[in-house]
């Protein structure tokens, strides 16, 4: 096996390990892209919200899943996070 193949195999193994860690975490983990579309949704997030990963991926987190009373506050927090602000 070439060094390049060994490196690719190791990267794949690490990616699988990270995926398993995220999926089995005892806390909800979700991710959004710069447009606010859900691109990550772990098992605990699905359990708590009762939305499967398949139901949420590609949809707007704030627009589709946050209640009206919290939309503005959640949007600001997420916008700031995407800009690197705390």
């Amino acid at each position: 096996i070439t060094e390049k193949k060994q490196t690719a195999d190791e990267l794949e193994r690490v990616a699988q390990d990270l995926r398993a860690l995220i999926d089995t975490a005892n806390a909800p983990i979700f991710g959004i892209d710069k447009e606010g579309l859900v691109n990550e949704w772990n098992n605990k997030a699905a359990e708590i919200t009762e939305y499967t990963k398949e139901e949420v991926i590609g949809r707007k987190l704030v627009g589709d899943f946050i209640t009206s009373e919290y939309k503005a506050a959640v949007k600001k927090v997420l916008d700031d996070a995407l800009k690197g602000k705390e």
Side-chain angles (χ1 to χ4, degrees):
I1 296 178
T2 67
E3 185 176 332
K4 188 174 183 179
K5 173 75 169 121
Q6 286 176 325
T7 301
D9 289 349
E10 178 64 12
L11 287 173
E12 180 60 29
R13 187 193 63 73
V14 169
Q16 289 174 353
D17 288 350
L18 290 173
R19 165 68 42 224
L21 181 65
I22 290 169
D23 284 345
T24 61
N26 199 23
I29 298 174
F30 66 89
I32 59 169
D33 64 16
K34 63 184 180 179
E35 283 83 37
L37 302 178
V38 178
N39 59 14
E40 182 59 57
W41 196 259
N42 77 343
N43 294 338
K44 186 56 82 170
E47 178 185 327
I48 290 170
T49 65
E50 298 183 353
Y51 288 105
T52 67
K53 186 174 190 169
E54 294 75 22
E55 290 175 302
V56 300
I57 294 295
R59 292 178 60 186
K60 291 201 170 282
L61 178 70
V62 174
D64 293 346
F65 300 103
I66 304 300
T67 59
S68 296
E69 62 193 284
Y70 296 109
K71 282 185 193 281
V74 171
K75 183 170 180 354
K76 179 173 180 358
V77 168
L78 295 175
D79 287 346
D80 286 349
L82 289 168
K83 293 174 187 170
K85 297 180 183 178
E86 292 186 20

